[in-house]
Amino acid sequence: MSAVIAEQNQPSETAAAFLRRPPRLFIGGEWVDSASATTIPVIDPATSRPISATADASAEDVDRAVAAARKALEQGEWADMLPATRQALIWRLSDLIDAYADELAELESIDNGKTKFMASIVDIAGTRDYFRYMAGWATKIEGSTIDVSIGAGPPGAKFMAQTRREPVGVVAQIIPWNFPLAMAAWKLGPALAAGCTCILKPAEQTPLTALRLGELIAEAGFPPGVVNILTGYGETTGAALVTHPGVDKVAFTGSGEVGKLINKAATDSLKRVSLELGGKSPVIMLQDMDIKTAVGGAAQAIFFNAGQVCAAGSRLYVHKNIFDEVLEGVGEKANAIKLGPGLAADTDMGPLVSSEQQRRVLDYIESGRAQGASIIAGGEPIDHPGYYVKPTVMASVKNDMRVVQEEIFGPVLVAERFEDLNEIAAVANGTPYGLSASIWSNDLRAVNRLVPLIKAGTVWVNCHGPVDPNMPFGGFKQSGIGRESGRTAVEMYTELKSVCMMV
């Protein structure tokens, strides 16, 4: 495909009015001006034109937000709130997300570039459901009783012991630009259920739905300071949050490079840290797979959200007996994808989020070409405003190529054939990442042999990408520390306390 199919539509009046709002921060339950006079432009990735502006939070603003969060944690309504009331507040927020779903989907599309349709059925619906799931955990955080045998103490003394889980404290939550609202929910949901207070920093590229969420949080009735929202750059606002002595935990989703910096910075004060980082997920197709199913599965795994997914199936390994047919089919799928702005009804894939990301992806494609990869589909720049990249499929790749080893975070697939089932696990594990993988086969013996060998936090079978609020999600190796979703996520926002009493 040589051109983008349409120009960007005009936003609705509701969205346009939001884009005209003054650049402010949400601190202590109020919308306040930043101590900094600078602002950050918000760019529509479909047109590369600025459409709004947000505040650039300073270190002074971070101090104010941390103070507000600390006060809410230790004094007043939130500190004394019953778990059932926290549950009701989080559920009320989910109801408001449902009520404003169309507006939120439009803002997400304008800000990120994804289609409004996909934002509606994935991002907004997923956000609503995630908050509803996490609301239930507010009333189900439990301790346990322990039988103890303690030798110390007066003769004949008896003891009883119990554990309790308490909020970890003030949490700084730094989220990425690929699923802005959903990632906010993944961070806020378990933290609020556990009773923490939060400072949320959205990515500077995609702040809109986080700011709108702040309005809904206020409308839902959360006490002042429970959630604070700061817009700003990662190297300034984000860095100030990570190193702030009043922050007890840092939760980050983003690149491995930044995650390592955060982990090092948090070491000085031994802040609790959870990191959901990058991936280079393998998609393994065994020879018994139906060709049509294999083609559709491989294409969906990499081209969903324009490949801007940490768990994207960016490495395709297909048994040699079906490799040529699968590769041809995936190439045809790639060529058939209609590029266009997210608000256009017939768009299949929107632009990438920014000019920086577009350059990064195009540079990787050129790197693969220069190192000898063959281009099966895509691979050429598009002469059109906006940050578009054609869906690209590469073959004839080798394991030491950058396009095989490094996370591209765009619609670029590298494909290799394999023959020996005993060797494919080592090949699939042959990157620094271990976030996810998928195995495609109807041979359950082969699947069950492979699953334990794959070093990844999630292994899908005959699908790639489904996530559920009840299913832990996170990575092995350099794909992160800790897990999102499920009981595990809630417990990561708690400290475990033992209580021992002589009776």
Side-chain angles (χ1 to χ4, degrees), residues 141-162:
I141 298 172
E142 301 173 342
S144 60
T145 58
I146 304 171
D147 291 328
V148 292
S149 301
I150 300 176
K158 295 183 178 180
F159 298 84
M160 61 177 292
Q162 66 183 41

Side-chain angles (χ1 to χ4, degrees), residues 75-355:
Q75 305 171 31
E77 187 181 354
W78 186 253
D80 296 330
M81 187 174 288
L82 293 174
T85 308
R86 285 206 310 273
Q87 173 180 272
L89 276 177
I90 300 169
W91 193 277
R92 169 64 175 151
L93 178 59
S94 77
D95 284 343
L96 289 171
I97 289 165
D98 211 23
Y100 294 102
D102 190 71
E103 177 192 348
L104 289 166
E106 184 177 6
L107 289 173
E108 201 78 317
S109 176
I110 293 169
D111 205 14
N112 171 271
K114 66 183 66 186
T115 67
K116 182 182 176 183
F117 173 75
M118 192 187 83
S120 297
I121 64 172
V122 176
D123 300 61
I124 312 307
T127 297
R128 175 202 63 207
D129 293 345
Y130 198 87
F131 275 124
R132 287 180 177 172
Y133 170 83
M134 285 298 171
W137 272 110
T139 57
K140 298 169 186 66
I141 298 172
E142 301 173 342
S144 60
T145 58
I146 304 171
D147 291 328
V148 292
S149 301
I150 300 176
K158 295 183 178 180
F159 298 84
M160 61 177 292
Q162 66 183 41
T163 62
R164 52 182 286 124
R165 287 195 174 272
E166 300 177 355
V168 73
V170 174
V171 183
Q173 301 176 308
I174 303 172
I175 59 174
W177 44 255
N178 56 337
F179 294 95
L181 188 62
M183 291 296 98
W186 279 34
K187 293 292 184 282
L188 291 173
L192 295 174
C196 296
T197 57
C198 306
I199 302 128
L200 179 73
K201 194 203 87 65
E204 59 265 28
Q205 298 92 340
T206 54
L208 296 182
T209 49
L211 293 170
R212 186 68 179 100
L213 182 64
E215 295 179 343
L216 300 184
I217 286 168
E219 186 176 342
F222 282 82
V226 172
V227 178
N228 307 272
I229 300 174
L230 302 181
T231 52
Y233 291 107
E235 59 268 27
T236 52
T237 309
L241 281 168
V242 169
T243 57
H244 199 287
V247 169
D248 300 300
K249 172 182 167 68
V250 178
F252 171 77
T253 297
S255 72
E257 179 183 7
V258 175
K260 291 174 184 178
L261 293 174
I262 288 173
N263 204 29
K264 289 178 182 177
T267 299
D268 289 341
S269 57
L270 291 181
K271 286 180 173 60
R272 304 300 184 252
V273 176
S274 55
L275 305 170
E276 199 270 276
L277 306 177
K280 192 70 178 175
S281 300
V283 175
I284 304 168
M285 300 276 185
L286 305 191
Q287 63 179 323
D288 67 296
M289 279 306 299
D290 168 73
I291 299 299
K292 183 177 179 181
T293 301
V295 167
Q300 185 275 336
I302 183 59
F303 298 136
F304 172 68
N305 205 44
Q308 298 172 122
V309 183
C310 55
S314 54
R315 292 184 294 147
L316 177 62
Y317 298 104
V318 184
H319 191 276
K320 68 171 188 175
N321 290 349
I322 60 172
F323 178 82
D324 291 337
E325 290 178 273
V326 171
L327 190 65
E328 180 182 1
V330 175
E332 291 174 355
K333 288 272 189 184
N335 287 328
I337 290 173
K338 297 178 180 178
L339 299 179
L343 297 184
D346 50 354
T347 291
D348 294 325
M349 180 187 292
L352 302 189
V353 73
S354 66
S355 60

Side-chain angles (χ1 to χ4, degrees), residues 37-54:
T38 60
T39 59
I40 301 171
V42 177
I43 307 298
D44 179 354
T47 64
S48 67
R49 293 195 297 265
I51 52 174
S52 188
T54 57

Side-chain angles (χ1 to χ4, degrees), residues 434-452:
L435 186 59
S436 63
S438 62
I439 301 168
W440 298 72
S441 174
N442 295 310
D443 182 347
L444 289 182
R445 291 183 64 190
V447 169
N448 287 326
R449 282 171 55 196
L450 270 177
V451 167

